[in-house]
Amino acid sequence: MPGTAPRPGGDVWPGAAQPPGWPGGLPVPAGTPVTAPGADPLAGHPFVTAALPGADRSRRPLLTALGVVGLLTALGVPLGLLWAWLAPATPVRQTPAGAVYTTPQPEQPIAADGWFSLLTLGFGVLAAIALWVLLRRRRGPAGLLAVTLGGIGAAVVAWQVGRRIGLSTFQRLVETAPPGTAFTKPVDLRAGGVDWYGPLPLPHGNLLLAAFGAAVTYTLLAGWSRWPSLRPEPDAAWPPPPPGFSSAPGDQPAR
């Protein structure tokens, strides 16, 4: 095509003139100074060098992964507010010995765990789908790790935000309310938490459901991807038909 330069693989560089010495200037004779004319046939053509393998050595993939983890972790705040709004608080009554449940075996704590499990699991699934669709050029192990760590961070933040809504009021009533006063205990988790092994926190229980849903969903999307590299690739062009071949209506069948 006039005014275009071939890419490796047969494509062309759109809208760019043929670089000098490409490919006729390669290889350059040994001992030629790098500043000599024609020594670097790709000089002045950043659209060529940017497409060569290993040309992009920036830290953008790492920064993108860290940004995903931070964004998902921050989304744990509205997730925790939603959990505190949906999950029922547990009714308690003040006694001379302290606050006790109004009923011997209340169902509200179980409902709070159930709501948290459903919300965080759904959050992980949606986060994986959103990451897969929006960051198509960053698909791969880094994306899987980012969405998994982000799911853990979002679940921990949601737990801490939700359980602290109304907690100060509850503690004040436990300390100062007269016997017989009825009030409610804020939501909290009974099937999950964080254990500390020295300085290392280890979430467990339903705090891991967001990461589980995100990892499984992202892995399934990768398994069903039509591209081996997981990234969208341009479809290969069909070769031109042989002379005399046509598929127009009414044409004679090819022999």
Side-chain angles (χ1 to χ4, degrees), residues 16-209:
Q18 173 115 3
W22 174 271
L26 295 177
V28 177
T32 303
V34 294
T35 57
D40 185 4
L42 303 183
H45 295 274
F47 63 92
V48 176
T49 56
L52 294 178
D56 184 11
R57 301 181 183 275
S58 65
R59 298 182 179 180
R60 180 175 296 180
L62 177 60
L63 295 178
T64 301
L66 293 177
V68 169
V69 174
L71 176 61
L72 294 180
T73 302
L75 290 177
V77 174
L79 186 65
L81 296 176
L82 181 61
W83 172 50
W85 180 65
L86 290 174
T90 306
V92 296
R93 185 180 68 256
Q94 183 77 329
T95 67
V100 298
Y101 292 129
T102 303
T103 57
Q105 295 181 347
E107 299 179 355
Q108 289 82 1
I110 301 175
D113 277 282
W115 274 112
F116 187 88
S117 300
L118 291 176
L119 289 174
T120 53
L121 182 62
F123 176 85
V125 172
L126 294 178
I129 295 175
L131 182 63
W132 182 267
V133 173
L134 297 178
L135 297 181
R136 296 181 295 174
R137 298 297 179 183
R138 303 297 180 188
R139 293 173 181 173
L144 176 61
L145 181 62
V147 77
T148 302
L149 294 179
I152 295 177
V156 173
V157 171
W159 169 45
Q160 291 299 316
V161 170
R163 67 183 294 269
R164 293 179 186 277
I165 296 178
L167 182 60
S168 60
T169 302
F170 170 75
Q171 293 175 341
R172 179 176 55 82
L173 290 174
V174 169
E175 296 173 356
T176 62
T181 304
F183 48 99
T184 58
K185 180 182 179 182
V187 296
D188 204 347
L189 292 182
R190 303 176 66 182
V194 176
D195 292 334
W196 290 86
Y197 291 87
L200 183 65
L202 183 63
H204 63 85
N206 48 10
L207 286 180
L208 300 177
L209 284 177

Side-chain angles (χ1 to χ4, degrees), residues 241 244-252:
F245 179 84
S246 175
S247 60
D251 288 347
Q252 295 295 328

